[in-house]
């Protein structure tokens, strides 16, 4: 079998188009412009690239982008004061604090200071609890993007065996909750899982989110399975720097029914879902109906 390649880049462009259409309607009918505030502390090069891309795409869909770039030695009190100001600002519907933060800042405290209604990352403990109990919440962007692609590819997911490899708060755990919410039979595998290959081979849906380059190989994939590769790992090969996922794409694609590539799979969906979450937050804040198909 040669897998169908799920084109995340095209899918993300479609999501952004839908968001842009909703934003135009919000402006026309209600005089509202969704606003997203992104806070970056320090000068980590990868974070700077992410923040720049977020800002550009926010403006492209017609939203307002507020960027707050703070020096690496910003105090916790100053950062908390900025978040309090953003929480109170009616023009700001979404707040994202770029992670990782410098080690002197308490990330959990800072994330849990964001108004949960503006927590477009879905990292606030209230949103984690709401998602875990099947209530309306803000859903973390990367797993939301994966779920959108899976629903599009499969239609209904009920009854499918799903294996999520990786137990991070950002991807693995919320991904498992979302799949459970769609009535999959869910297993979370991790570094201590015994016979990982055997566990993975049970999966109709296999989500790899471990951060280990090309760790999931074709022999770990059930024939016909859908493989979602969340990994973005920069490696050196043949003297060149390249991006690879957590899945060994060539061997997995020979067995899988469908697979997301790296780059161009899950990656572009993350920012598209951040924009979707900002739109959702703006609608909720103003008592308006939520956009269909852009949230769970
Ligand atoms: N750093 C890398 N990915 C993310 C993300 O999705 N959200 C935030 N806040 N920081 C990140």
């Amino acid at each position: 079998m040669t897998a169908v390649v799920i084109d995340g880049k095209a899918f993300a462009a479609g999501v952004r188009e839908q968001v842009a259409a909703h934003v135009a309607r919000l402006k026309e009918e209600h005089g509202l412009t969704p606003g997203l505030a992104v806070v970056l502390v320090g000068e980590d090069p990868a974070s700077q690239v992410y923040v720049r891309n977020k800002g550009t795409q926010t403006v492209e869909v017609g939203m307002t982008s507020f960027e707050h770039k703070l020096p690496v030695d910003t105090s916790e009190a100053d950062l908390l004061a900025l978040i309090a100001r953003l929480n109170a600002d009616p023009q700001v519907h979404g707040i994202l604090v770029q992670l990782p933060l410098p080690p002197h800042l308490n990330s959990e405290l800072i994330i849990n200071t964001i108004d949960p209604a503006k927590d477009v990352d879905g990292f606030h403990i209230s949103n984690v609890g709401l998602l875990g109990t099947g209530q309306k919440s803000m859903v973390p962007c990367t797993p939301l993007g994966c779920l959108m692609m899976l629903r599009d590819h499969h239609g209904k997911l009920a009854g499918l065996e799903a294996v999520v490899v990786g137990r991070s708060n950002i991807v693995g755990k919320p991904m498992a909750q979302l799949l459970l919410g769609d009535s999959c039979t869910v297993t979370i595998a991790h570094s201590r899982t015994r016979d990982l290959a055997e566990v993975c081979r049970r999966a109709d849906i296999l989500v790899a989110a471990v951060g280990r380059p090309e760790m999931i190989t074709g022999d770990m994939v059930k024939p016909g399975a859908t493989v979602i590769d969340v990994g973005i790992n920069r490696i050196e090969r043949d003297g060149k720097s390249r991006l690879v996922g957590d899945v060994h794409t060539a061997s997995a694609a020979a067995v899988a029914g469908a697979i997301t590539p790296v780059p161009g799979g899950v990656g572009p969906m993350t920012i598209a879902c951040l924009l979707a979450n900002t739109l959702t937050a703006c609608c909720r804040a103003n008592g308006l109906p939520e956009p269909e198909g852009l949230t769970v």
Side-chain angles (χ1 to χ4, degrees), residues 50 96-99 121 123 270:
Y50 280 134
L96 179 146
V97 177
Q98 184 67 28
L99 300 176
D121 260 329
F123 295 166
T270 298

Side-chain angles (χ1 to χ4, degrees), residues 39 68-70 77-87 95:
V39 180
H68 295 269
K69 294 187 176 160
L70 308 179
D78 283 351
L79 183 53
L80 292 173
L82 170 61
I83 291 173
R85 283 204 305 281
L86 297 173
N87 282 343
I95 302 170

Side-chain angles (χ1 to χ4, degrees), residues 72-210:
V72 69
D73 59 354
T74 298
S75 72
E76 199 159 270
D78 283 351
L79 183 53
L80 292 173
L82 170 61
I83 291 173
R85 283 204 305 281
L86 297 173
N87 282 343
D89 185 341
Q91 291 190 42
V92 173
H93 302 97
I95 302 170
L96 179 146
V97 177
Q98 184 67 28
L99 300 176
L101 285 167
H104 69 282
L105 297 170
N106 178 342
S107 301
E108 283 176 4
L109 170 71
I110 286 152
I111 297 300
N112 288 326
T113 304
I114 297 171
D115 177 349
K118 297 189 178 189
D119 167 38
V120 282
D121 260 329
F123 295 166
H124 189 289
I125 192 70
S126 294
N127 283 315
V128 175
L130 290 167
L131 179 63
T133 50
Q135 300 178 71
K136 262 208 182 308
S137 64
M138 276 289 154
V139 178
C141 304
T142 301
L144 177 59
C146 295
L147 186 74
M148 283 183 187
M149 292 193 287
L150 284 167
R151 284 180 174 175
D152 181 70
H153 185 73
H154 284 270
K156 294 260 177 288
L157 306 182
L160 295 178
E161 289 280 343
V163 174
V164 179
V165 189
R167 54 178 156 178
S168 71
N169 292 335
I170 295 183
V171 183
K173 286 180 200 159
M175 186 76 249
Q177 296 285 7
L178 288 171
L179 291 164
L180 194 56
D182 271 21
S183 301
C184 292
T185 303
V186 183
T187 303
I188 303 182
H190 46 76
S191 55
R192 298 291 185 87
T193 296
R194 273 183 283 148
D195 202 349
L196 179 65
E198 189 274 323
V199 172
C200 289
R201 275 194 300 269
R202 291 184 214 154
D204 302 307
I205 293 171
L206 180 59
V207 181
V210 267

